[in-house]
Amino acid sequence: MGHESPAGDLRLTNLTKRFGVLTAVDDLDLTVPQGSFFALLGASGCGKTTTLRMIAGLEAPTSGQVLLGDRDIARLRPYQRPVNTVFQSYALFPHLDVAENVAFGLRRRGIRNVDDQVRRMLALVQLDGSGRRRPAQLSGGQQQRVALARALVNHPRVLLLDEPLGALDLKLRRQMQIELRRIQNEVGITFVHVTHDQEEAMTMADTVAVMNAGRIEQLGAPADLYEFPATAFVANFLGQSNLLAAEAAGPAGADVPVTAHGARFSLPVGRARSDRGAVYLGVRPEKLHLAGSADQVPDGHQHVDGVVTDASYVGVSTQYLIRTGWGSELVAFAANSGLGQRFPVGAPVAAHWDPRHAFLLPREPGPTDDRPDRPAARRAGEGAVANAPRHLLRRVVRPAKRRGAA
């Protein structure tokens, strides 16, 4: 007897969508457990929104299945699916008040006594007493809550969220992240959230799937993806990483020795995605610490020497760029704890890390390049560069000179 899926799991099996010669979603296999908060994270053009539209029934798959439990819903019309969508644009009816916007789906289904359900939904999204107001009289955050209540009042088995917070300002967006998490915990239904915002995905989701070029690059808990990425793309899309082109010689006991730019390093076997041949040695900026000289580096740490080329104070931390002896730049975030030493531009430093916080990733053999995010990022809408802090972008990504310019 074949394996049976739990009643409410959402499963995408060999799901593919092509637009002419372009493959937007490429043979996708994915399981979203019932009752989970699941995030599809990726840059523009990676296929995440097309995937959501196929789940919603707004786009027909070229091939594959969309299973809810053991029922294939891929050929059902949108209104026949137990699925509702909240869009970034809210799509509220301006001529209806809040209560009638929320009640719209119930009335379309022929339900007459809607008042109690509407009141419960407005209470859930903390809009008690706002039923008679029009959408134009609400803030952006309140309109988003109305759209959420309108979707939830129909008791869908899956709620799809298509970049629902993209139109909100930063403070309101963070408030709504907490609210969405609270609401999902209360109602207990499956939320599938599509976003390009890494912080948004990590704040709300139980599980994050990072998409690139129509495929899943890595799937797992947010902390697992961040602390131990599977590919260079994930390492530079989900946050920032310092990636050194290196060669690994294979395991030697409990460690994997590597050579990068003439220097020797090592890290635990359990931190290596690849342990032979061409690899990237990765360290997150907040795990990279600075000392005034090599003799100040703690025992057990490994280091490279360099010179500070930029120091930007951003409140919670000072963010440094360090140029190494071979010409690459590393990024280090020093927490503003009041305990550490500050380094001015031009200061020589030893950038050091605990090998247990480093990781090894597979690398295509070729010329040594310590910035592997650039080609992948361009294909996926400048993914890694777009996630860099803006004050670093103007220093790291310099505009090309126009032909004929001085």
Coordinates of all heavy atoms in Angstrom, one line a residue, residues 3 19 72 76 87 112 141 147 151 192 200 208 241 278 293 300 330 358 373:
H3 N 2.1 5.3 0.5 CA 2.1 6.2 1.6 C 0.9 7.2 1.5 O 0.7 7.7 0.4 CB 3.4 7.0 1.7 CG 3.4 8.1 2.7 ND1 3.5 7.8 4.0 CD2 3.3 9.4 2.5 CE1 3.4 9.0 4.7 NE2 3.4 10.0 3.8
F19 N 6.2 29.3 -19.7 CA 5.6 30.4 -20.6 C 6.5 30.4 -21.8 O 7.5 31.1 -21.9 CB 5.7 31.7 -19.8 CG 4.9 31.8 -18.6 CD1 5.5 31.5 -17.3 CD2 3.5 32.0 -18.6 CE1 4.8 31.6 -16.2 CE2 2.8 32.1 -17.4 CZ 3.4 31.9 -16.2
D72 N -6.2 15.9 -5.7 CA -5.5 16.8 -6.6 C -6.5 17.9 -7.0 O -7.5 17.7 -7.6 CB -5.1 16.0 -7.9 CG -4.2 16.8 -8.8 OD1 -4.0 18.0 -8.5 OD2 -3.8 16.3 -9.9
L76 N -9.1 22.2 -10.6 CA -10.3 22.9 -10.0 C -10.2 24.4 -10.3 O -9.1 25.0 -10.3 CB -10.5 22.6 -8.6 CG -10.7 21.1 -8.1 CD1 -10.8 21.1 -6.6 CD2 -11.9 20.5 -8.8
F87 N -3.7 39.5 -1.1 CA -2.8 40.2 -2.0 C -2.1 41.4 -1.4 O -2.7 42.0 -0.4 CB -3.5 40.5 -3.3 CG -4.1 39.4 -4.0 CD1 -5.4 39.0 -3.9 CD2 -3.3 38.6 -4.8 CE1 -6.0 38.0 -4.6 CE2 -3.8 37.5 -5.5 CZ -5.1 37.2 -5.4
R112 N -26.8 33.8 4.9 CA -27.5 35.0 5.3 C -27.1 35.6 6.6 O -26.9 36.8 6.7 CB -29.0 34.8 5.3 CG -29.6 34.4 3.9 CD -31.1 34.2 3.9 NE -31.6 33.9 2.6 CZ -32.9 33.8 2.3 NH1 -33.8 33.8 3.3 NH2 -33.3 33.5 1.1
G141 N -2.2 49.5 7.4 CA -2.2 48.4 8.3 C -3.6 47.9 8.6 O -3.9 46.6 8.6
A147 N -8.5 42.8 4.8 CA -8.2 41.8 3.8 C -8.0 40.4 4.4 O -8.5 39.4 3.9 CB -7.1 42.2 2.9
A151 N -10.5 37.0 4.1 CA -10.0 35.6 3.7 C -10.3 34.6 4.8 O -10.7 33.5 4.4 CB -8.5 35.7 3.4
V192 N 0.8 30.0 3.7 CA 1.9 29.9 2.7 C 2.1 31.4 2.3 O 1.3 32.0 1.7 CB 1.5 29.1 1.5 CG1 2.7 29.1 0.5 CG2 1.2 27.6 1.9
E200 N 11.4 39.2 7.0 CA 10.0 38.8 7.1 C 9.8 37.3 7.1 O 9.0 36.8 8.0 CB 9.2 39.4 5.9 CG 7.7 39.5 6.0 CD 7.2 40.3 4.8 OE1 7.3 41.6 4.9 OE2 6.6 39.7 3.9
V208 N 11.2 27.7 5.9 CA 11.5 28.6 4.8 C 12.0 27.8 3.6 O 12.9 27.0 3.9 CB 12.5 29.7 5.2 CG1 12.8 30.6 4.0 CG2 11.9 30.6 6.3
S241 N 27.3 36.9 3.6 CA 28.4 35.9 3.9 C 29.7 36.4 3.3 O 29.7 36.9 2.2 CB 28.1 34.5 3.5 OG 27.0 34.0 4.1
A278 N 37.2 22.0 -5.0 CA 36.8 23.5 -5.0 C 35.7 23.7 -4.0 O 34.6 23.1 -4.2 CB 36.5 23.9 -6.4
S293 N 46.0 43.0 16.2 CA 47.1 42.3 15.6 C 46.9 40.8 15.8 O 46.0 40.4 16.6 CB 48.4 42.7 16.3 OG 48.4 42.4 17.7
G300 N 42.6 29.1 19.4 CA 41.6 28.3 18.7 C 40.9 29.0 17.5 O 40.2 28.4 16.7
L330 N 36.3 41.8 3.0 CA 35.5 41.1 4.0 C 34.6 42.1 4.7 O 35.0 43.2 4.9 CB 36.3 40.3 5.0 CG 37.3 39.3 4.4 CD1 38.1 38.7 5.5 CD2 36.7 38.3 3.5
A358 N 32.2 28.6 11.1 CA 32.4 28.7 9.6 C 31.7 27.5 8.9 O 31.1 26.6 9.6 CB 33.9 28.6 9.3
D373 N 28.3 35.5 -5.3 CA 26.9 35.9 -5.4 C 26.5 36.7 -6.6 O 25.4 36.7 -7.0 CB 26.5 36.7 -4.1 CG 27.4 38.0 -4.0 OD1 28.6 37.8 -3.8 OD2 26.9 39.1 -4.1

